[in-house]
Amino acid sequence: TIFAITPTHTRPLQKAELTRISQTFLLIPNFHWIIVEDAETRTPLVTNLLAQSGLSYTHLNAETPKEWKLLLEDPQWKKPRGVKQRNAALQWLRNHADPRKPAVVFFADDDNTYSLELFEEMRNTKTVSVWPVGLVGNVRFERPILDEHDKVANWSTGWRPERPFAIDMAGFAINLKLLLDNPDAEFSFDAPRGYQESTILGAVVTKENLEPKASKCTKVYVWHTRTENPKLNDVKGKVPGMVVDWTVEV
Amino acid sequence: TIFAITPTHTRPLQKAELTRISQTFLLIPNFHWIIVEDAETRTPLVTNLLAQSGLSYTHLNAETPKEWKLLLEDPQWKKPRGVKQRNAALQWLRNHADPRKPAVVFFADDDNTYSLELFEEMRNTKTVSVWPVGLVGNVRFERPILDEHDKVANWSTGWRPERPFAIDMAGFAINLKLLLDNPDAEFSFDAPRGYQESTILGAVVTKENLEPKASKCTKVYVWHTRTENPKLNDVKGKVPGMVVDWTVEV
Ligand SMILES: O=c1ccn([C@@H]2O[C@H](COP(=O)(O)OP(=O)(O)O)[C@@H](O)[C@H]2O)c(=O)[nH]1
Ligand SMILES: O=c1ccn([C@@H]2O[C@H](COP(=O)(O)OP(=O)(O)O)[C@@H](O)[C@H]2O)c(=O)[nH]1
Ligand SMILES: [Mn+2]
Ligand SMILES: [Mn+2]
């Protein structure tokens, strides 16, 4: 099984984003979606979308503590996103996943773009697989650099290649067994900016044991896309004659 | 058959966008994709993506004339996009589609988000169906407003509701027969801003004959999403030590 862990939060784009990634996931065999809302309770929008999706899923919620919430005026990088939600999903796996069944855990943000090949690449992960990620770090793609034995030597990234695991959240998958064997492995609000990936990976694997995928890290099968936040003038009362109809879900 | 017409142009986001909409389309029965590149020739990137997609498709190209090309410094609304490409697709349909087989034509930009329900709604179009579009015109959603006979009376839009058909390109589908019976119906570089939809629709249908779909235009099944154009510092030579590897397709 591939367990994909998706933190998600309420915003105008949420339904569109979840709609299109759920369509990707529908095409993946042996797939289970763990979706964790950054909210006090599970919302009707996500509940109904999942119920109608045709997917195998688990629906959780875990609200980001107030002091770590991104404020409207904050730049995106100011605070880590998804920490509490991903940890809640790891907790759920430790409590509910069958340790005898082979499985892989992947962190799938709701706004990225995933090719179908990506899931076939990660499916046979023994420890932790790694691969390139497109359109991230303000470069065309980031990737692990391999040595002459096809092991990860270091990282080609747009930013801080000196990080222990200089790789985006979308650039790796972990064999479930490693997460069960290391029950303290998790994400942390205390990690410096850009170190969430190094925090979890450092707790379960060493660089020497990484498994490069995607034709020795020469193919881009996932893209760190970000969707433009739409301006909603009607919601701000700025469209004369237009009444905001909140009964229609968007 | 549903014929979806998609203009597309080369840019860093192109492969990601085409990848995710091709996954949506894979889930639609009786679907044929007409993809028209805004380029002098058909590119290897799109050619290979289509060949591997598993979809039924037609691959065309039609370059926007120089004077109508969006310049890097132009705001998006300055020039119409997709005009020549959509007309090339209409031409192909007039030359190649079987007029005896029922079919519907839909204009599917490469960056929007489409639910599966949308395609079931449009499939039985007799003349032209219409429905709401989410996150467009700087409002939560735009929609046709129906009268007491469930016919389109006017339009609830963020902008210029006085247009004859004040609806986004993603908000309607046309029965193929109407396009074959009206061989001059097409898009035009001469239409004022926001009037492309009115140009083609005015040539094939009247407001009275529109068919409202999506539970009397109360459901949003398509979203006019736009993806953030990534900054690529490596391409600009601004990442010290990073060599741009153009052999890797992103
Ligand atoms: O307050 C927030 C902000 C983001 N997210 C989720 O965390 C993930 C990463 O956030 P985002 O894509 O905004 O960050 P990026 O990595 O693109 O900067 C996404 O699945 C979001 O839906 C969240 O749960 N709560
Ligand atoms: O120079 C261009 C710009 C856009 N497009 C295509 O035309 C459609 C509409 O463009 P876009 O989504 O940028 O416009 P929007 O309606 O979002 O402003 C998309 O499928 C684009 O790929 C094109 O073929 N050539
Ligand atoms: Mn993101
Ligand atoms: Mn668009």
Side-chain angles (χ1 to χ4, degrees), chain B:
Chain B
T1 307
I2 293 172
F3 289 104
I5 295 176
T6 302
T8 186
H9 66 298
T10 301
R11 62 201 191 278
L13 282 166
Q14 185 179 35
K15 193 174 181 187
E17 301 286 30
L18 294 178
T19 297
R20 61 182 165 189
I21 61 165
S22 73
Q23 293 166 352
T24 304
F25 296 163
L26 261 185
L27 294 163
I28 314 299
N30 290 314
F31 182 91
H32 186 87
W33 197 9
I34 308 177
I35 181 158
V36 192
E37 291 195 66
D38 184 352
E40 216 186 330
T41 53
R42 290 177 290 169
T43 62
L45 187 152
V46 176
T47 304
N48 295 334
L49 185 141
L50 288 169
Q52 286 158 31
S53 69
L55 291 166
S56 163
Y57 65 87
T58 297
H59 183 187
L60 307 172
N61 67 291
E63 197 173 18
T64 301
K66 208 162 166 221
E67 64 273 29
W68 287 107
K69 269 202 185 146
L70 267 179
L71 305 177
L72 255 185
E73 64 271 23
D74 280 345
Q76 189 75 358
W77 49 263
K78 188 115 182 244
K79 290 172 186 156
R81 295 159 300 288
V83 170
K84 191 151 179 211
Q85 296 73 38
R86 294 188 192 106
N87 284 344
L90 293 176
Q91 195 54 54
W92 182 88
L93 280 168
R94 289 176 175 124
N95 291 337
H96 296 93
D98 184 342
R100 294 159 305 178
K101 285 201 189 140
V104 173
V105 177
F106 172 57
F107 298 98
D109 287 355
D110 62 6
D111 58 342
N112 292 336
T113 303
Y114 308 96
S115 72
L116 304 182
E117 288 95 330
L118 179 71
F119 298 92
E120 294 325 303
E121 292 288 330
M122 74 174 72
R123 200 178 283 284
N124 296 311
T125 300
K126 287 181 210 75
T127 57
V128 172
S129 341
V130 292
W131 53 76
V133 178
L135 308 179
V136 71
N138 292 331
V139 296
R140 284 182 80 231
F141 64 99
E142 296 188 340
R143 70 169 152 197
I145 298 175
L146 307 190
D147 66 16
E148 72 270 28
H149 308 294
D150 293 337
K151 289 280 168 190
V152 177
N154 42 44
W155 313 91
S156 173
T157 61
W159 188 71
R160 290 206 193 174
E162 71 279 8
R163 286 173 286 164
F165 298 87
I167 192 166
D168 184 74
M169 199 65 75
F172 62 90
I174 305 178
N175 189 307
L176 175 65
K177 197 176 168 329
L178 290 190
L179 291 166
L180 302 181
D181 291 350
N182 296 281
D184 295 333
E186 62 170 16
F187 298 93
S188 164
F189 285 111
D190 298 327
R193 181 180 162 215
Y195 281 73
Q196 290 298 336
E197 296 84 357
S198 295
T199 301
I200 185 101
L201 290 174
V204 298
V205 75
T206 58
K207 204 168 74 171
E208 292 67 42
N209 287 322
L210 294 173
E211 299 162 60
K213 301 281 182 181
S215 304
K216 304 187 183 177
C217 295
T218 64
K219 302 277 180 199
V220 173
Y221 290 141
V222 56
W223 298 263
H224 189 265
T225 41
R226 308 190 69 223
T227 311
E228 280 183 16
N229 215 6
K231 282 185 229 112
L232 298 183
N233 292 333
D234 55 341
V235 171
K236 292 185 202 127
K238 284 187 187 166
V239 184
M242 216 176 172
V243 181
V244 184
D245 184 348
W246 293 105
T247 68
V248 174
E249 187 180 87
V250 176

Side-chain angles (χ1 to χ4, degrees), chain A residues 15-70:
Chain A
K15 193 174 181 187
E17 300 285 31
L18 294 179
T19 296
R20 62 182 164 188
I21 61 165
S22 73
Q23 294 166 353
T24 304
F25 296 163
L26 261 185
L27 294 162
I28 314 300
N30 290 315
F31 183 90
H32 186 87
W33 196 10
I34 308 178
I35 180 158
V36 191
E37 290 195 67
D38 184 352
E40 216 185 330
T41 53
R42 291 176 290 169
T43 62
L45 186 152
V46 177
T47 304
N48 295 334
L49 186 142
L50 288 169
Q52 285 158 33
S53 69
L55 291 165
S56 163
Y57 66 87
T58 296
H59 183 188
L60 307 173
N61 67 291
E63 196 174 19
T64 301
K66 206 160 167 223
E67 63 274 29
W68 287 106
K69 270 201 183 148
L70 268 180

Side-chain angles (χ1 to χ4, degrees), chain A residues 109 111-112 224-226:
Chain A
D109 287 354
D111 57 343
N112 293 336
H224 189 264
T225 41
R226 309 190 69 223

Side-chain angles (χ1 to χ4, degrees), chain A:
Chain A
T1 306
I2 293 172
F3 289 104
I5 294 175
T6 302
T8 188
H9 65 300
T10 300
R11 63 202 191 278
L13 282 167
Q14 184 178 37
K15 193 174 181 187
E17 300 285 31
L18 294 179
T19 296
R20 62 182 164 188
I21 61 165
S22 73
Q23 294 166 353
T24 304
F25 296 163
L26 261 185
L27 294 162
I28 314 300
N30 290 315
F31 183 90
H32 186 87
W33 196 10
I34 308 178
I35 180 158
V36 191
E37 290 195 67
D38 184 352
E40 216 185 330
T41 53
R42 291 176 290 169
T43 62
L45 186 152
V46 177
T47 304
N48 295 334
L49 186 142
L50 288 169
Q52 285 158 33
S53 69
L55 291 165
S56 163
Y57 66 87
T58 296
H59 183 188
L60 307 173
N61 67 291
E63 196 174 19
T64 301
K66 206 160 167 223
E67 63 274 29
W68 287 106
K69 270 201 183 148
L70 268 180
L71 305 178
L72 255 184
E73 64 271 23
D74 280 346
Q76 189 75 357
W77 49 263
K78 187 115 184 244
K79 291 173 184 157
R81 295 159 300 288
V83 170
K84 190 151 180 212
Q85 295 73 38
R86 295 188 191 105
N87 284 346
L90 293 176
Q91 196 54 52
W92 182 87
L93 281 168
R94 289 177 175 123
N95 292 337
H96 296 93
D98 184 342
R100 294 159 305 179
K101 286 199 186 141
V104 173
V105 177
F106 172 58
F107 298 97
D109 287 354
D110 61 5
D111 57 343
N112 293 336
T113 303
Y114 308 97
S115 73
L116 304 182
E117 288 96 330
L118 179 71
F119 298 92
E120 294 325 303
E121 291 289 330
M122 74 173 73
R123 201 179 281 287
N124 296 312
T125 301
K126 287 182 210 75
T127 58
V128 172
S129 344
V130 293
W131 53 77
V133 178
L135 308 179
V136 70
N138 291 332
V139 296
R140 283 182 80 232
F141 64 98
E142 296 188 340
R143 71 169 151 197
I145 297 174
L146 307 190
D147 65 18
E148 71 272 28
H149 308 293
D150 293 337
K151 288 282 169 190
V152 176
N154 43 43
W155 313 92
S156 173
T157 61
W159 187 71
R160 291 206 192 174
E162 71 279 9
R163 287 173 287 165
F165 297 86
I167 193 167
D168 184 74
M169 198 65 75
F172 62 89
I174 306 177
N175 188 307
L176 175 65
K177 197 177 167 331
L178 289 190
L179 291 166
L180 302 180
D181 290 349
N182 296 281
D184 296 332
E186 61 170 17
F187 298 93
S188 164
F189 285 110
D190 298 328
R193 180 180 162 215
Y195 280 73
Q196 291 298 336
E197 296 84 356
S198 294
T199 301
I200 186 101
L201 290 174
V204 298
V205 75
T206 58
K207 205 168 73 171
E208 292 67 40
N209 288 320
L210 294 173
E211 299 162 59
K213 301 282 182 180
S215 304
K216 304 186 184 178
C217 295
T218 65
K219 302 277 180 199
V220 172
Y221 290 142
V222 57
W223 297 264
H224 189 264
T225 41
R226 309 190 69 223
T227 312
E228 280 183 16
N229 215 6
K231 284 185 227 112
L232 297 183
N233 292 333
D234 55 341
V235 171
K236 291 185 202 127
K238 285 186 186 165
V239 184
M242 216 175 173
V243 181
V244 184
D245 184 348
W246 294 104
T247 67
V248 175
E249 187 179 87
V250 176

